PDB file of all heavy atoms in Angstrom:
ATOM      1  N   ASP L 247      76.194  60.391  80.804  1.00  0.00           N
ATOM      2  CA  ASP L 247      75.173  59.921  81.832  1.00  0.00           C
ATOM      3  C   ASP L 247      74.724  61.125  82.776  1.00  0.00           C
ATOM      4  O   ASP L 247      75.426  61.331  83.762  1.00  0.00           O
ATOM      5  CB  ASP L 247      75.736  58.758  82.568  1.00  0.00           C
ATOM      6  CG  ASP L 247      74.641  58.079  83.452  1.00  0.00           C
ATOM      7  OD1 ASP L 247      73.514  58.418  83.200  1.00  0.00           O
ATOM      8  OD2 ASP L 247      74.984  57.335  84.380  1.00  0.00           O
ATOM      9  N   ALA L 248      73.679  61.763  82.422  1.00  0.00           N
ATOM     10  CA  ALA L 248      73.298  62.818  83.161  1.00  0.00           C
ATOM     11  C   ALA L 248      72.406  62.541  84.334  1.00  0.00           C
ATOM     12  O   ALA L 248      71.142  62.853  84.259  1.00  0.00           O
ATOM     13  CB  ALA L 248      72.568  63.922  82.214  1.00  0.00           C
ATOM     14  N   SER L 249      72.961  61.843  85.355  1.00  0.00           N
ATOM     15  CA  SER L 249      72.050  61.461  86.527  1.00  0.00           C
ATOM     16  C   SER L 249      72.192  62.534  87.584  1.00  0.00           C
ATOM     17  O   SER L 249      73.030  63.423  87.540  1.00  0.00           O
ATOM     18  CB  SER L 249      72.520  60.184  87.059  1.00  0.00           C
ATOM     19  OG  SER L 249      73.809  60.248  87.456  1.00  0.00           O
ATOM     20  N   GLU L 250      71.466  62.362  88.623  1.00  0.00           N
ATOM     21  CA  GLU L 250      71.509  63.227  89.831  1.00  0.00           C
ATOM     22  C   GLU L 250      72.837  63.148  90.426  1.00  0.00           C
ATOM     23  O   GLU L 250      73.405  64.133  90.859  1.00  0.00           O
ATOM     24  CB  GLU L 250      70.396  62.732  90.923  1.00  0.00           C
ATOM     25  CG  GLU L 250      69.104  63.316  90.675  1.00  0.00           C
ATOM     26  CD  GLU L 250      68.918  64.758  90.937  1.00  0.00           C
ATOM     27  OE1 GLU L 250      69.482  65.215  91.973  1.00  0.00           O
ATOM     28  OE2 GLU L 250      68.438  65.433  90.071  1.00  0.00           O
ATOM     29  N   ARG L 251      73.388  61.882  90.449  1.00  0.00           N
ATOM     30  CA  ARG L 251      74.674  61.660  91.103  1.00  0.00           C
ATOM     31  C   ARG L 251      75.762  62.403  90.368  1.00  0.00           C
ATOM     32  O   ARG L 251      76.614  62.978  91.026  1.00  0.00           O
ATOM     33  CB  ARG L 251      74.906  60.107  91.113  1.00  0.00           C
ATOM     34  CG  ARG L 251      76.230  59.753  91.659  1.00  0.00           C
ATOM     35  CD  ARG L 251      76.527  58.211  91.676  1.00  0.00           C
ATOM     36  NE  ARG L 251      77.775  57.966  92.026  1.00  0.00           N
ATOM     37  CZ  ARG L 251      78.844  57.845  91.293  1.00  0.00           C
ATOM     38  NH1 ARG L 251      78.676  57.986  89.933  1.00  0.00           N
ATOM     39  NH2 ARG L 251      80.059  57.548  91.736  1.00  0.00           N
ATOM     40  N   VAL L 252      75.680  62.344  89.102  1.00  0.00           N
ATOM     41  CA  VAL L 252      76.719  63.063  88.214  1.00  0.00           C
ATOM     42  C   VAL L 252      76.590  64.591  88.512  1.00  0.00           C
ATOM     43  O   VAL L 252      77.634  65.117  88.771  1.00  0.00           O
ATOM     44  CB  VAL L 252      76.487  62.787  86.690  1.00  0.00           C
ATOM     45  CG1 VAL L 252      77.334  63.724  85.870  1.00  0.00           C
ATOM     46  CG2 VAL L 252      76.795  61.285  86.438  1.00  0.00           C
ATOM     47  N   ALA L 253      75.452  65.102  88.572  1.00  0.00           N
ATOM     48  CA  ALA L 253      75.323  66.523  88.748  1.00  0.00           C
ATOM     49  C   ALA L 253      75.942  66.970  90.086  1.00  0.00           C
ATOM     50  O   ALA L 253      76.667  67.874  90.274  1.00  0.00           O
ATOM     51  CB  ALA L 253      73.844  66.957  88.719  1.00  0.00           C
ATOM     52  N   SER L 254      75.643  66.121  91.138  1.00  0.00           N
ATOM     53  CA  SER L 254      76.080  66.544  92.483  1.00  0.00           C
ATOM     54  C   SER L 254      77.611  66.273  92.713  1.00  0.00           C
ATOM     55  O   SER L 254      78.242  67.151  93.273  1.00  0.00           O
ATOM     56  CB  SER L 254      75.284  65.891  93.596  1.00  0.00           C
ATOM     57  OG  SER L 254      75.893  64.676  94.071  1.00  0.00           O
ATOM     58  N   LEU L 255      78.162  65.196  92.114  1.00  0.00           N
ATOM     59  CA  LEU L 255      79.545  65.051  92.240  1.00  0.00           C
ATOM     60  C   LEU L 255      80.314  66.039  91.370  1.00  0.00           C
ATOM     61  O   LEU L 255      81.356  66.623  91.783  1.00  0.00           O
ATOM     62  CB  LEU L 255      79.830  63.629  91.678  1.00  0.00           C
ATOM     63  CG  LEU L 255      79.983  62.610  92.794  1.00  0.00           C
ATOM     64  CD1 LEU L 255      79.947  61.165  92.189  1.00  0.00           C
ATOM     65  CD2 LEU L 255      81.288  62.720  93.557  1.00  0.00           C
ATOM     66  N   ALA L 256      79.842  66.376  90.189  1.00  0.00           N
ATOM     67  CA  ALA L 256      80.436  67.331  89.289  1.00  0.00           C
ATOM     68  C   ALA L 256      80.593  68.604  90.053  1.00  0.00           C
ATOM     69  O   ALA L 256      81.656  69.374  89.989  1.00  0.00           O
ATOM     70  CB  ALA L 256      79.783  67.466  88.017  1.00  0.00           C
ATOM     71  N   SER L 257      79.673  69.096  90.766  1.00  0.00           N
ATOM     72  CA  SER L 257      79.656  70.343  91.399  1.00  0.00           C
ATOM     73  C   SER L 257      80.648  70.341  92.553  1.00  0.00           C
ATOM     74  O   SER L 257      81.289  71.356  92.886  1.00  0.00           O
ATOM     75  CB  SER L 257      78.211  70.836  91.946  1.00  0.00           C
ATOM     76  OG  SER L 257      77.879  69.873  92.913  1.00  0.00           O
ATOM     77  N   ARG L 258      80.941  69.247  93.085  1.00  0.00           N
ATOM     78  CA  ARG L 258      82.058  69.060  94.112  1.00  0.00           C
ATOM     79  C   ARG L 258      83.370  69.280  93.453  1.00  0.00           C
ATOM     80  O   ARG L 258      84.251  69.964  93.963  1.00  0.00           O
ATOM     81  CB  ARG L 258      82.115  67.692  94.728  1.00  0.00           C
ATOM     82  CG  ARG L 258      81.573  67.755  96.232  1.00  0.00           C
ATOM     83  CD  ARG L 258      81.365  66.438  96.834  1.00  0.00           C
ATOM     84  NE  ARG L 258      82.666  65.598  96.786  1.00  0.00           N
ATOM     85  CZ  ARG L 258      82.492  64.300  96.816  1.00  0.00           C
ATOM     86  NH1 ARG L 258      81.493  63.748  96.937  1.00  0.00           N
ATOM     87  NH2 ARG L 258      83.652  63.593  96.704  1.00  0.00           N
ATOM     88  N   PHE L 259      83.625  68.800  92.263  1.00  0.00           N
ATOM     89  CA  PHE L 259      84.922  68.897  91.593  1.00  0.00           C
ATOM     90  C   PHE L 259      85.054  70.341  90.989  1.00  0.00           C
ATOM     91  O   PHE L 259      86.178  70.911  90.975  1.00  0.00           O
ATOM     92  CB  PHE L 259      84.975  67.859  90.421  1.00  0.00           C
ATOM     93  CG  PHE L 259      85.471  66.532  90.862  1.00  0.00           C
ATOM     94  CD1 PHE L 259      84.467  65.667  91.380  1.00  0.00           C
ATOM     95  CD2 PHE L 259      86.705  66.100  90.715  1.00  0.00           C
ATOM     96  CE1 PHE L 259      84.833  64.422  91.879  1.00  0.00           C
ATOM     97  CE2 PHE L 259      87.066  64.803  91.143  1.00  0.00           C
ATOM     98  CZ  PHE L 259      86.161  63.919  91.641  1.00  0.00           C
ATOM     99  N   TRP L 260      83.894  70.908  90.624  1.00  0.00           N
ATOM    100  CA  TRP L 260      83.985  72.190  89.967  1.00  0.00           C
ATOM    101  C   TRP L 260      83.861  73.378  90.866  1.00  0.00           C
ATOM    102  O   TRP L 260      84.394  74.464  90.658  1.00  0.00           O
ATOM    103  CB  TRP L 260      82.915  72.288  88.858  1.00  0.00           C
ATOM    104  CG  TRP L 260      82.834  73.528  87.949  1.00  0.00           C
ATOM    105  CD1 TRP L 260      81.916  74.464  87.928  1.00  0.00           C
ATOM    106  CD2 TRP L 260      83.879  73.784  86.915  1.00  0.00           C
ATOM    107  NE1 TRP L 260      82.244  75.275  86.995  1.00  0.00           N
ATOM    108  CE2 TRP L 260      83.443  74.928  86.459  1.00  0.00           C
ATOM    109  CE3 TRP L 260      85.027  73.265  86.555  1.00  0.00           C
ATOM    110  CZ2 TRP L 260      84.114  75.648  85.427  1.00  0.00           C
ATOM    111  CZ3 TRP L 260      85.768  73.959  85.536  1.00  0.00           C
ATOM    112  CH2 TRP L 260      85.379  75.065  85.008  1.00  0.00           C
ATOM    113  N   GLY L 261      83.191  73.052  91.956  1.00  0.00           N
ATOM    114  CA  GLY L 261      83.110  74.172  92.981  1.00  0.00           C
ATOM    115  C   GLY L 261      81.791  74.939  92.876  1.00  0.00           C
ATOM    116  O   GLY L 261      81.392  75.734  93.791  1.00  0.00           O
ATOM    117  N   SER L 262      80.984  74.628  91.815  1.00  0.00           N
ATOM    118  CA  SER L 262      79.754  75.265  91.910  1.00  0.00           C
ATOM    119  C   SER L 262      78.744  74.432  90.805  1.00  0.00           C
ATOM    120  O   SER L 262      79.354  73.472  90.148  1.00  0.00           O
ATOM    121  CB  SER L 262      79.660  76.757  91.314  1.00  0.00           C
ATOM    122  OG  SER L 262      80.308  76.735  89.999  1.00  0.00           O
TER     123      SER L 262
END
Side-chain angles (χ1 to χ4, degrees):
D247 187 15
S249 64
E250 277 291 312
R251 176 179 174 272
V252 168
S254 92
L255 267 165
S257 64
R258 251 176 52 208
F259 279 80
W260 185 246
S262 58

